[in-house]
């Protein structure tokens, strides 16, 4: 499932943020595996740039929680546990409920335009489901939720959500499949669109929480099964 791990040489005029974006993408798509060390000198050589901006980029990703630094050992891609998954998706639910509240109590034109954008993303999911392309499906899945938050035009909310979305992609990218019911994804996401437009706030709030609770269950189960396969132990129910 991992993508190409090759980084693209960049012009020295670009900033450490550009380097961080490239490394973040490689972490998210699974090219850098959880627990893998990222060597500053190797990255600088591959990008054909000095080590200073690379060091700044790694520090930025460390602050985002995508990398962890161990004294006298180096910098490593974060390894997420089932407890981390629960925290990530509970935090996502809190932000998405806040975003939904902002949208349904804001301008109707913004709400309708957002619903149309979200429905268009839902329509893009089915071809990836048909091809069992879970990496691209995960990208569309998170694009849906990111677009809903972005529609609030709250830059701080979007900034917080971006880190959570990146962590969620790490969870998904390193599993054979993060979806136990892929055939239901289109219906589940379209339901959220319908609830946004439906005017029943209680149902919408409950729908967001149910969607995230389902993701926690499925990802935790997938992580457990993968761990059992790796250790040769029988898969638990």
């Amino acid at each position: 499932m991992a993508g190409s791990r090759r980084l693209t040489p960049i012009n020295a005029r670009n900033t450490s943020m550009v380097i961080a974006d490239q490394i973040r993408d490689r972490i998210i798509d699974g090219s850098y595996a959880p627990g893998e060390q990222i060597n500053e000198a190797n990255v600088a050589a591959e990008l054909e740039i000095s080590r200073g901006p690379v060091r700044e980029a790694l520090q930025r990703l460390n602050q985002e929680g995508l990398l962890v630094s161990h004294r006298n050992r180096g910098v490593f891609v974060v390894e997420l546990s089932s407890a981390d998954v629960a925290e990530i998706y509970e935090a996502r639910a809190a932000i998405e409920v806040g975003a939904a509240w902002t949208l349904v109590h804001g301008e109707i034109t913004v709400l309708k335009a957002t619903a149309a954008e979200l429905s268009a993303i839902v329509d893009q999911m089915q071809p990836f489901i048909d091809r069992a392309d879970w990496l691209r499906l995960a990208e569309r899945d998170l694009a849906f939720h990111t677009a809903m938050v972005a529609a609030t035009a709250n830059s701080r909310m979007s900034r917080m959500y971006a880190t959570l979305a990146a962590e969620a992609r790490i969870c998904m990218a390193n599993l054979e499949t993060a979806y136990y019911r892929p055939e239901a994804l289109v219906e589940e996401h379209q339901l959220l669109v319908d609830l946004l437009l439906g005017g029943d706030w209680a149902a919408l709030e409950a729908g967001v929480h149910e969607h995230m609770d389902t993701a926690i269950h499925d990802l935790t189960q997938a992580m457990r099964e993968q761990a059992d396969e790796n250790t040769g132990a029988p898969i638990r129910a």
Side-chain angles (χ1 to χ4, degrees), residues 3-236:
S4 170
R5 65 182 297 154
R6 177 169 175 75
L7 302 174
T8 305
I10 61 175
N11 190 294
R13 292 175 299 177
N14 289 321
T15 66
S16 62
M17 188 177 297
V18 178
I19 303 171
D21 289 343
Q22 287 204 43
I23 297 173
R24 185 188 299 106
D25 288 344
R26 299 290 76 75
I27 294 171
I28 289 172
D29 70 16
S31 297
Y32 287 123
E36 181 175 351
Q37 184 174 10
I38 297 184
N39 184 280
E40 178 186 304
N42 291 345
V43 171
E46 187 171 356
L47 291 174
E48 301 175 4
I49 198 168
S50 67
R51 293 174 61 168
V54 174
R55 186 176 303 114
E56 293 176 14
L58 297 182
Q59 289 171 349
R60 178 185 297 274
L61 295 173
N62 190 305
Q63 292 169 354
E64 291 180 13
L66 302 182
L67 298 177
V68 291
S69 179
H70 297 296
R71 180 182 292 273
N72 299 324
R73 291 180 56 204
V75 178
F76 300 81
V77 179
V78 67
E79 296 183 88
L80 298 174
S81 67
S82 58
D84 292 319
V85 170
E87 286 190 0
I88 291 164
Y89 280 81
E90 287 165 4
R92 284 183 60 192
I95 292 177
E96 290 194 32
V97 166
W101 176 269
T102 299
L103 291 170
V104 298
H105 291 88
E107 294 290 336
I108 186 63
T109 53
V110 173
L111 178 62
K112 289 183 176 180
T114 302
E117 180 183 3
L118 297 179
S119 290
I121 295 173
V122 172
D123 290 341
Q124 296 165 6
M125 292 180 176
Q126 191 61 53
F128 298 125
I129 294 172
D130 294 340
R131 297 199 296 269
D133 187 344
W134 310 128
L135 192 63
R136 297 295 181 271
L137 180 59
E139 189 276 330
R140 288 292 82 197
D141 184 344
L142 284 167
F144 175 98
H145 296 279
T146 299
M148 185 173 75
V149 175
T152 67
N154 185 318
S155 62
R156 287 169 175 79
M157 189 179 290
S158 290
R159 192 159 60 241
M160 289 187 294
Y161 196 79
T163 296
L164 294 169
E167 291 180 313
R169 280 290 298 276
I170 293 173
C171 297
M172 295 175 179
N174 293 284
L175 296 171
E176 283 302 311
T177 175
Y179 300 106
Y180 278 88
R181 294 168 293 276
E183 69 283 350
L185 276 181
V186 170
E187 180 180 349
E188 290 175 5
H189 283 84
Q190 188 57 50
L191 175 61
L192 292 177
V193 178
D194 296 341
L195 289 172
L196 266 176
L197 294 172
D200 185 340
W201 169 249
L204 173 56
E205 183 179 20
V208 172
H209 281 291
E210 181 178 357
H211 188 71
M212 294 300 164
D213 288 345
T214 298
I216 291 172
H217 174 273
D218 289 354
L219 282 168
T220 300
Q221 179 69 12
M223 291 171 73
R224 183 183 301 118
E225 292 181 359
Q226 183 162 297
D228 287 342
E229 290 176 2
N230 290 340
T231 60
I235 296 174
R236 298 181 297 274

